[in-house]
């Protein structure tokens, strides 16, 4: 258990035994407990140990807040709800129907992970519609005795929201502020299908408008150098999307381009970090899948055929 401030903690979910890949945040106060991004089902035991370490029992948990519904953030939600049907799930309206019926989500993840799907993520059970509280952004919500602002922050995912606790200055930004492990390279995760560089840039402005003191990243942990961090994110998004565009303009198949992209990215990462850090980034961002989102973005924009 790691403390952000009184009543706000986070748990390293030790994804497949590896530290510093996925973090879940806990809000606990007089208004009960909320979990922000509970993580995948394969980490559920670690999450439960984290709750225990904070003296939290499941009946205390009233809400699950999802920044978005990707498996590494939201996978365990339905499994938790089956055991604890009193919990409300707050999620952007565009994510709500896919968490109520995750068949399309599972289908597209299976295209990526194939028969390793179950091993990586475990079950992705549906959440009953009656438990869902759809968000659009712009709301003020009561969470564990605090008031959170909700902002719609697409770019990484079309249904991404971020949460801000003005009293502590902490913003829970999911993947919108990228992946940054141990002060390493700020990597923009760009899996298919929703990547949009312009929307992502506007979302970063929306987060900056809160003037947060701390960004809480799912991958991984709190960042207090907010402005330079977000500037690096946008700079690196420009770099990686530029690499993708130049590969798209060359001859070859997408499979070849994707491999070339991963290789170039590994080279960039190696110039910034140690080999063991690079390996953690591979697990956290699965960067063999990052080309596809950028390719789709450029094609949608009409920049390439
Ligand atoms: Zn994501």
């Amino acid at each position: 258990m790691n403390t952000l401030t009184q009543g706000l903690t986070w748990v390293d979910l030790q994804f497949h035994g590896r530290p510093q890949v996925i973090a879940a945040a806990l809000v606990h106060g007089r208004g009960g407990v909320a979990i922000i991004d509970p993580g995948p089902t394969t980490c559920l035991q670690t999450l439960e140990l984290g709750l225990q370490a904070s003296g939290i029992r499941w009946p205390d948990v009233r809400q699950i807040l999802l920044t978005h519904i990707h498996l590494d953030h939201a996978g365990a939600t339905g499994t938790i709800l089956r055991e604890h049907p009193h919990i409300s799930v707050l999620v952007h309206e565009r994510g709500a129907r896919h968490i109520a019926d995750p068949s399309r989500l599972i289908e597209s993840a299976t295209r990526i992970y194939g028969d390793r799907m179950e091993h990586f993520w475990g079950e992705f059970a549906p959440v009953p519609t009656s438990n869902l509280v759809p968000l659009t952004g712009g709301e003020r919500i009561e969470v564990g005795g605090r008031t959170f602002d909700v902002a719609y922050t697409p770019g990484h995912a079309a249904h991404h929201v971020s949460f801000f606790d003005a009293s502590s200055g902490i913003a829970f930004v999911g993947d919108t502020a990228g992946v940054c492990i141990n002060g390493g390279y700020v990597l923009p995760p760009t899996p298919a299908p929703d990547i949009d560089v312009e929307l992502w840039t506007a979302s970063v402005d929306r987060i900056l408008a809160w003037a947060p003191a701390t960004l809480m990243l799912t991958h991984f942990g709190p960042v207090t150098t907010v402005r330079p961090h977000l500037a690096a994110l946008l700079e690196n998004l420009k770099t990686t999307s530029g690499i993708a565009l130049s590969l798209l303009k060359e001859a070859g198949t997408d499979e070849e381009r994707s491999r070339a992209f991963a290789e170039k990215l590994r080279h960039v990462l190696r110039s910034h970090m140690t080999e063991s850090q690079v390996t953690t980034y591979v697990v956290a961002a699965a960067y063999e899948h990052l080309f596809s989102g950028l390719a789709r973005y450029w094609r949608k924009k009409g920049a390439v055929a």
Side-chain angles (χ1 to χ4, degrees), residues 249-284:
K249 287 177 174 167
E250 286 170 21
T253 65
D254 270 9
E255 213 182 299
E256 289 162 348
R257 292 186 184 112
S258 181
R259 270 201 301 274
F261 179 86
E263 209 160 294
K264 280 178 198 280
L265 192 56
R266 189 180 271 268
H267 190 77
V268 172
L269 292 179
R270 273 187 179 141
S271 67
H272 285 83
M273 302 182 296
T274 65
E275 198 54 33
S276 125
Q277 265 180 306
V278 173
T279 309
T280 307
Y281 272 70
V282 176
V283 180

mmCIF file of all heavy atoms in Angstrom, residues 249-284:
data_model
loop_
_atom_site.group_PDB
_atom_site.id
_atom_site.type_symbol
_atom_site.label_atom_id
_atom_site.label_comp_id
_atom_site.label_asym_id
_atom_site.label_seq_id
_atom_site.Cartn_x
_atom_site.Cartn_y
_atom_site.Cartn_z
ATOM 1 N N LYS A 249 4.459 5.363 -45.276
ATOM 2 C CA LYS A 249 4.773 5.873 -46.609
ATOM 3 C C LYS A 249 5.756 4.976 -47.351
ATOM 4 O O LYS A 249 5.969 5.156 -48.553
ATOM 5 C CB LYS A 249 5.317 7.303 -46.496
ATOM 6 C CG LYS A 249 4.215 8.303 -46.161
ATOM 7 C CD LYS A 249 4.759 9.705 -45.986
ATOM 8 C CE LYS A 249 3.625 10.708 -45.809
ATOM 9 N NZ LYS A 249 4.129 12.009 -45.330
ATOM 10 N N GLU A 250 6.381 4.032 -46.598
ATOM 11 C CA GLU A 250 7.305 3.092 -47.247
ATOM 12 C C GLU A 250 6.539 1.856 -47.708
ATOM 13 O O GLU A 250 5.456 1.569 -47.197
ATOM 14 C CB GLU A 250 8.392 2.651 -46.253
ATOM 15 C CG GLU A 250 9.433 3.724 -45.979
ATOM 16 C CD GLU A 250 10.344 3.345 -44.812
ATOM 17 O OE1 GLU A 250 10.431 2.143 -44.490
ATOM 18 O OE2 GLU A 250 10.935 4.262 -44.236
ATOM 19 N N ALA A 251 7.153 1.119 -48.647
ATOM 20 C CA ALA A 251 6.536 -0.123 -49.106
ATOM 21 C C ALA A 251 6.593 -1.158 -47.986
ATOM 22 O O ALA A 251 7.448 -1.078 -47.115
ATOM 23 C CB ALA A 251 7.282 -0.641 -50.325
ATOM 24 N N GLY A 252 5.666 -2.125 -48.033
ATOM 25 C CA GLY A 252 5.696 -3.200 -47.045
ATOM 26 C C GLY A 252 4.306 -3.507 -46.535
ATOM 27 O O GLY A 252 3.348 -2.809 -46.866
ATOM 28 N N THR A 253 4.202 -4.561 -45.723
ATOM 29 C CA THR A 253 2.918 -4.908 -45.123
ATOM 30 C C THR A 253 2.854 -4.267 -43.731
ATOM 31 O O THR A 253 3.876 -3.849 -43.191
ATOM 32 C CB THR A 253 2.784 -6.435 -44.941
ATOM 33 O OG1 THR A 253 3.785 -6.857 -43.984
ATOM 34 C CG2 THR A 253 3.012 -7.178 -46.243
ATOM 35 N N ASP A 254 1.642 -4.199 -43.179
ATOM 36 C CA ASP A 254 1.501 -3.627 -41.836
ATOM 37 C C ASP A 254 2.244 -4.454 -40.795
ATOM 38 O O ASP A 254 2.735 -3.918 -39.809
ATOM 39 C CB ASP A 254 0.024 -3.505 -41.463
ATOM 40 C CG ASP A 254 -0.537 -2.166 -41.898
ATOM 41 O OD1 ASP A 254 0.174 -1.433 -42.635
ATOM 42 O OD2 ASP A 254 -1.672 -1.837 -41.495
ATOM 43 N N GLU A 255 2.317 -5.760 -41.047
ATOM 44 C CA GLU A 255 3.024 -6.619 -40.098
ATOM 45 C C GLU A 255 4.510 -6.241 -40.059
ATOM 46 O O GLU A 255 5.101 -6.129 -38.989
ATOM 47 C CB GLU A 255 2.843 -8.075 -40.533
ATOM 48 C CG GLU A 255 2.779 -9.033 -39.366
ATOM 49 C CD GLU A 255 2.651 -10.464 -39.838
ATOM 50 O OE1 GLU A 255 1.635 -10.741 -40.523
ATOM 51 O OE2 GLU A 255 3.553 -11.257 -39.556
ATOM 52 N N GLU A 256 5.063 -6.025 -41.243
ATOM 53 C CA GLU A 256 6.481 -5.616 -41.320
ATOM 54 C C GLU A 256 6.673 -4.239 -40.688
ATOM 55 O O GLU A 256 7.622 -4.007 -39.948
ATOM 56 C CB GLU A 256 6.944 -5.577 -42.778
ATOM 57 C CG GLU A 256 7.070 -6.953 -43.406
ATOM 58 C CD GLU A 256 7.100 -6.910 -44.949
ATOM 59 O OE1 GLU A 256 6.810 -5.855 -45.552
ATOM 60 O OE2 GLU A 256 7.402 -7.965 -45.527
ATOM 61 N N ARG A 257 5.731 -3.343 -40.984
ATOM 62 C CA ARG A 257 5.828 -1.984 -40.437
ATOM 63 C C ARG A 257 5.728 -2.018 -38.916
ATOM 64 O O ARG A 257 6.434 -1.295 -38.216
ATOM 65 C CB ARG A 257 4.703 -1.113 -40.987
ATOM 66 C CG ARG A 257 4.829 -0.823 -42.465
ATOM 67 C CD ARG A 257 3.756 0.165 -42.889
ATOM 68 N NE ARG A 257 3.786 0.388 -44.315
ATOM 69 C CZ ARG A 257 2.847 0.004 -45.161
ATOM 70 N NH1 ARG A 257 1.761 -0.622 -44.715
ATOM 71 N NH2 ARG A 257 2.948 0.251 -46.441
ATOM 72 N N SER A 258 4.838 -2.863 -38.417
ATOM 73 C CA SER A 258 4.643 -2.960 -36.979
ATOM 74 C C SER A 258 5.920 -3.447 -36.292
ATOM 75 O O SER A 258 6.306 -2.936 -35.229
ATOM 76 C CB SER A 258 3.477 -3.913 -36.711
ATOM 77 O OG SER A 258 3.253 -4.001 -35.345
ATOM 78 N N ARG A 259 6.572 -4.422 -36.916
ATOM 79 C CA ARG A 259 7.850 -4.917 -36.365
ATOM 80 C C ARG A 259 8.913 -3.827 -36.415
ATOM 81 O O ARG A 259 9.653 -3.624 -35.450
ATOM 82 C CB ARG A 259 8.328 -6.149 -37.152
ATOM 83 C CG ARG A 259 7.804 -7.462 -36.583
ATOM 84 C CD ARG A 259 8.667 -8.635 -37.032
ATOM 85 N NE ARG A 259 8.716 -8.764 -38.488
ATOM 86 C CZ ARG A 259 7.800 -9.429 -39.191
ATOM 87 N NH1 ARG A 259 6.798 -10.025 -38.584
ATOM 88 N NH2 ARG A 259 7.905 -9.510 -40.503
ATOM 89 N N ALA A 260 8.969 -3.112 -37.544
ATOM 90 C CA ALA A 260 9.953 -2.031 -37.685
ATOM 91 C C ALA A 260 9.683 -0.927 -36.655
ATOM 92 O O ALA A 260 10.604 -0.357 -36.070
ATOM 93 C CB ALA A 260 9.908 -1.465 -39.101
ATOM 94 N N PHE A 261 8.407 -0.642 -36.435
ATOM 95 C CA PHE A 261 8.016 0.381 -35.454
ATOM 96 C C PHE A 261 8.498 -0.023 -34.055
ATOM 97 O O PHE A 261 9.107 0.771 -33.338
ATOM 98 C CB PHE A 261 6.497 0.560 -35.463
ATOM 99 C CG PHE A 261 5.997 1.575 -34.470
ATOM 100 C CD1 PHE A 261 5.937 2.923 -34.801
ATOM 101 C CD2 PHE A 261 5.581 1.193 -33.204
ATOM 102 C CE1 PHE A 261 5.478 3.871 -33.890
ATOM 103 C CE2 PHE A 261 5.129 2.131 -32.279
ATOM 104 C CZ PHE A 261 5.075 3.463 -32.627
ATOM 105 N N ALA A 262 8.225 -1.289 -33.688
ATOM 106 C CA ALA A 262 8.633 -1.781 -32.357
ATOM 107 C C ALA A 262 10.147 -1.686 -32.199
ATOM 108 O O ALA A 262 10.652 -1.318 -31.132
ATOM 109 C CB ALA A 262 8.146 -3.213 -32.159
ATOM 110 N N GLU A 263 10.854 -2.000 -33.260
ATOM 111 C CA GLU A 263 12.318 -1.955 -33.212
ATOM 112 C C GLU A 263 12.818 -0.512 -33.021
ATOM 113 O O GLU A 263 13.697 -0.251 -32.199
ATOM 114 C CB GLU A 263 12.871 -2.524 -34.508
ATOM 115 C CG GLU A 263 14.228 -3.173 -34.358
ATOM 116 C CD GLU A 263 14.485 -4.107 -35.518
ATOM 117 O OE1 GLU A 263 13.772 -5.130 -35.621
ATOM 118 O OE2 GLU A 263 15.353 -3.766 -36.335
ATOM 119 N N LYS A 264 12.227 0.398 -33.795
ATOM 120 C CA LYS A 264 12.622 1.814 -33.674
ATOM 121 C C LYS A 264 12.303 2.339 -32.273
ATOM 122 O O LYS A 264 13.079 3.087 -31.688
ATOM 123 C CB LYS A 264 11.906 2.670 -34.727
ATOM 124 C CG LYS A 264 12.559 2.593 -36.101
ATOM 125 C CD LYS A 264 11.774 3.433 -37.096
ATOM 126 C CE LYS A 264 12.092 3.081 -38.532
ATOM 127 N NZ LYS A 264 13.325 3.656 -39.034
ATOM 128 N N LEU A 265 11.146 1.932 -31.771
ATOM 129 C CA LEU A 265 10.733 2.388 -30.448
ATOM 130 C C LEU A 265 11.680 1.845 -29.373
ATOM 131 O O LEU A 265 12.081 2.551 -28.445
ATOM 132 C CB LEU A 265 9.302 1.919 -30.178
ATOM 133 C CG LEU A 265 8.614 2.549 -28.979
ATOM 134 C CD1 LEU A 265 8.610 4.069 -29.087
ATOM 135 C CD2 LEU A 265 7.183 2.043 -28.878
ATOM 136 N N ARG A 266 12.059 0.586 -29.519
ATOM 137 C CA ARG A 266 12.991 -0.016 -28.566
ATOM 138 C C ARG A 266 14.307 0.770 -28.567
ATOM 139 O O ARG A 266 14.897 1.015 -27.517
ATOM 140 C CB ARG A 266 13.232 -1.488 -28.924
ATOM 141 C CG ARG A 266 14.019 -2.248 -27.877
ATOM 142 C CD ARG A 266 14.230 -3.696 -28.286
ATOM 143 N NE ARG A 266 13.152 -4.564 -27.841
ATOM 144 C CZ ARG A 266 13.170 -5.221 -26.669
ATOM 145 N NH1 ARG A 266 14.190 -5.102 -25.859
ATOM 146 N NH2 ARG A 266 12.180 -6.001 -26.318
ATOM 147 N N HIS A 267 14.697 1.194 -29.745
ATOM 148 C CA HIS A 267 15.923 1.967 -29.885
ATOM 149 C C HIS A 267 15.799 3.308 -29.130
ATOM 150 O O HIS A 267 16.695 3.711 -28.399
ATOM 151 C CB HIS A 267 16.194 2.206 -31.380
ATOM 152 C CG HIS A 267 17.526 2.788 -31.665
ATOM 153 N ND1 HIS A 267 18.691 2.037 -31.638
ATOM 154 C CD2 HIS A 267 17.892 4.064 -31.922
ATOM 155 C CE1 HIS A 267 19.702 2.832 -31.888
ATOM 156 N NE2 HIS A 267 19.255 4.064 -32.074
ATOM 157 N N VAL A 268 14.660 3.961 -29.325
ATOM 158 C CA VAL A 268 14.400 5.231 -28.617
ATOM 159 C C VAL A 268 14.443 5.003 -27.106
ATOM 160 O O VAL A 268 15.089 5.740 -26.360
ATOM 161 C CB VAL A 268 13.020 5.816 -29.038
ATOM 162 C CG1 VAL A 268 12.647 7.017 -28.175
ATOM 163 C CG2 VAL A 268 13.019 6.200 -30.510
ATOM 164 N N LEU A 269 13.754 3.943 -26.651
ATOM 165 C CA LEU A 269 13.688 3.661 -25.212
ATOM 166 C C LEU A 269 15.068 3.351 -24.649
ATOM 167 O O LEU A 269 15.439 3.815 -23.579
ATOM 168 C CB LEU A 269 12.739 2.496 -24.934
ATOM 169 C CG LEU A 269 11.255 2.753 -25.196
ATOM 170 C CD1 LEU A 269 10.439 1.496 -24.910
ATOM 171 C CD2 LEU A 269 10.726 3.894 -24.342
ATOM 172 N N ARG A 270 15.845 2.567 -25.402
ATOM 173 C CA ARG A 270 17.188 2.192 -24.938
ATOM 174 C C ARG A 270 18.087 3.409 -24.763
ATOM 175 O O ARG A 270 18.958 3.419 -23.901
ATOM 176 C CB ARG A 270 17.840 1.237 -25.936
ATOM 177 C CG ARG A 270 17.477 -0.197 -25.666
ATOM 178 C CD ARG A 270 18.299 -1.108 -26.572
ATOM 179 N NE ARG A 270 17.965 -2.492 -26.307
ATOM 180 C CZ ARG A 270 17.855 -3.418 -27.252
ATOM 181 N NH1 ARG A 270 18.049 -3.101 -28.527
ATOM 182 N NH2 ARG A 270 17.569 -4.652 -26.920
ATOM 183 N N SER A 271 17.857 4.429 -25.588
ATOM 184 C CA SER A 271 18.708 5.611 -25.474
ATOM 185 C C SER A 271 18.333 6.420 -24.228
ATOM 186 O O SER A 271 19.051 7.332 -23.835
ATOM 187 C CB SER A 271 18.605 6.463 -26.738
ATOM 188 O OG SER A 271 17.320 7.008 -26.843
ATOM 189 N N HIS A 272 17.187 6.097 -23.610
ATOM 190 C CA HIS A 272 16.748 6.831 -22.420
ATOM 191 C C HIS A 272 16.891 6.031 -21.133
ATOM 192 O O HIS A 272 16.881 6.610 -20.052
ATOM 193 C CB HIS A 272 15.275 7.236 -22.548
ATOM 194 C CG HIS A 272 15.049 8.372 -23.488
ATOM 195 N ND1 HIS A 272 14.947 8.200 -24.851
ATOM 196 C CD2 HIS A 272 14.923 9.704 -23.274
ATOM 197 C CE1 HIS A 272 14.748 9.377 -25.420
ATOM 198 N NE2 HIS A 272 14.742 10.299 -24.492
ATOM 199 N N MET A 273 16.954 4.679 -21.229
ATOM 200 C CA MET A 273 16.785 3.887 -20.014
ATOM 201 C C MET A 273 17.645 2.623 -20.019
ATOM 202 O O MET A 273 18.200 2.240 -21.041
ATOM 203 C CB MET A 273 15.321 3.456 -19.892
ATOM 204 C CG MET A 273 14.355 4.604 -19.871
ATOM 205 S SD MET A 273 12.671 4.093 -19.661
ATOM 206 C CE MET A 273 12.380 3.160 -21.134
ATOM 207 N N THR A 274 17.671 1.957 -18.843
ATOM 208 C CA THR A 274 18.384 0.685 -18.733
ATOM 209 C C THR A 274 17.559 -0.422 -19.398
ATOM 210 O O THR A 274 16.349 -0.280 -19.602
ATOM 211 C CB THR A 274 18.585 0.281 -17.261
ATOM 212 O OG1 THR A 274 17.285 0.044 -16.696
ATOM 213 C CG2 THR A 274 19.292 1.365 -16.459
ATOM 214 N N GLU A 275 18.228 -1.538 -19.685
ATOM 215 C CA GLU A 275 17.568 -2.656 -20.360
ATOM 216 C C GLU A 275 16.426 -3.224 -19.501
ATOM 217 O O GLU A 275 15.377 -3.605 -20.031
ATOM 218 C CB GLU A 275 18.601 -3.747 -20.672
ATOM 219 C CG GLU A 275 18.176 -4.743 -21.721
ATOM 220 C CD GLU A 275 17.735 -4.108 -23.051
ATOM 221 O OE1 GLU A 275 18.268 -3.040 -23.465
ATOM 222 O OE2 GLU A 275 16.832 -4.676 -23.665
ATOM 223 N N SER A 276 16.603 -3.254 -18.179
ATOM 224 C CA SER A 276 15.552 -3.821 -17.330
ATOM 225 C C SER A 276 14.321 -2.892 -17.314
ATOM 226 O O SER A 276 13.178 -3.356 -17.299
ATOM 227 C CB SER A 276 16.100 -4.096 -15.929
ATOM 228 O OG SER A 276 15.343 -3.474 -14.944
ATOM 229 N N GLN A 277 14.558 -1.585 -17.382
ATOM 230 C CA GLN A 277 13.426 -0.643 -17.501
ATOM 231 C C GLN A 277 12.689 -0.866 -18.821
ATOM 232 O O GLN A 277 11.461 -0.891 -18.851
ATOM 233 C CB GLN A 277 13.933 0.802 -17.455
ATOM 234 C CG GLN A 277 13.899 1.440 -16.076
ATOM 235 C CD GLN A 277 14.409 2.871 -16.138
ATOM 236 O OE1 GLN A 277 15.508 3.118 -16.621
ATOM 237 N NE2 GLN A 277 13.616 3.803 -15.664
ATOM 238 N N VAL A 278 13.479 -1.033 -19.885
ATOM 239 C CA VAL A 278 12.872 -1.243 -21.206
ATOM 240 C C VAL A 278 11.958 -2.467 -21.175
ATOM 241 O O VAL A 278 10.846 -2.439 -21.696
ATOM 242 C CB VAL A 278 13.957 -1.388 -22.303
ATOM 243 C CG1 VAL A 278 13.332 -1.773 -23.636
ATOM 244 C CG2 VAL A 278 14.751 -0.087 -22.457
ATOM 245 N N THR A 279 12.397 -3.537 -20.505
ATOM 246 C CA THR A 279 11.599 -4.762 -20.421
ATOM 247 C C THR A 279 10.273 -4.499 -19.713
ATOM 248 O O THR A 279 9.224 -4.987 -20.139
ATOM 249 C CB THR A 279 12.385 -5.868 -19.688
ATOM 250 O OG1 THR A 279 13.652 -5.973 -20.309
ATOM 251 C CG2 THR A 279 11.666 -7.197 -19.757
ATOM 252 N N THR A 280 10.290 -3.702 -18.638
ATOM 253 C CA THR A 280 9.047 -3.374 -17.947
ATOM 254 C C THR A 280 8.116 -2.583 -18.865
ATOM 255 O O THR A 280 6.901 -2.795 -18.872
ATOM 256 C CB THR A 280 9.330 -2.572 -16.656
ATOM 257 O OG1 THR A 280 10.273 -3.299 -15.877
ATOM 258 C CG2 THR A 280 8.071 -2.378 -15.835
ATOM 259 N N TYR A 281 8.678 -1.712 -19.679
ATOM 260 C CA TYR A 281 7.861 -0.967 -20.637
ATOM 261 C C TYR A 281 7.207 -1.900 -21.654
ATOM 262 O O TYR A 281 6.083 -1.675 -22.071
ATOM 263 C CB TYR A 281 8.713 0.081 -21.376
ATOM 264 C CG TYR A 281 8.786 1.407 -20.662
ATOM 265 C CD1 TYR A 281 9.489 1.523 -19.468
ATOM 266 C CD2 TYR A 281 8.172 2.537 -21.164
ATOM 267 C CE1 TYR A 281 9.570 2.722 -18.800
ATOM 268 C CE2 TYR A 281 8.245 3.753 -20.501
ATOM 269 C CZ TYR A 281 8.946 3.855 -19.331
ATOM 270 O OH TYR A 281 9.008 5.044 -18.674
ATOM 271 N N VAL A 282 7.926 -2.938 -22.043
ATOM 272 C CA VAL A 282 7.367 -3.891 -23.003
ATOM 273 C C VAL A 282 6.112 -4.527 -22.414
ATOM 274 O O VAL A 282 5.084 -4.655 -23.088
ATOM 275 C CB VAL A 282 8.402 -4.981 -23.376
ATOM 276 C CG1 VAL A 282 7.777 -6.020 -24.282
ATOM 277 C CG2 VAL A 282 9.611 -4.357 -24.037
ATOM 278 N N VAL A 283 6.179 -4.892 -21.118
ATOM 279 C CA VAL A 283 5.025 -5.523 -20.469
ATOM 280 C C VAL A 283 3.896 -4.505 -20.300
ATOM 281 O O VAL A 283 2.733 -4.785 -20.588
ATOM 282 C CB VAL A 283 5.414 -6.104 -19.087
ATOM 283 C CG1 VAL A 283 4.209 -6.760 -18.425
ATOM 284 C CG2 VAL A 283 6.564 -7.104 -19.227
ATOM 285 N N ALA A 284 4.242 -3.292 -19.863
ATOM 286 C CA ALA A 284 3.210 -2.296 -19.540
ATOM 287 C C ALA A 284 2.509 -1.779 -20.793
ATOM 288 O O ALA A 284 1.317 -1.528 -20.782
ATOM 289 C CB ALA A 284 3.824 -1.136 -18.764
#
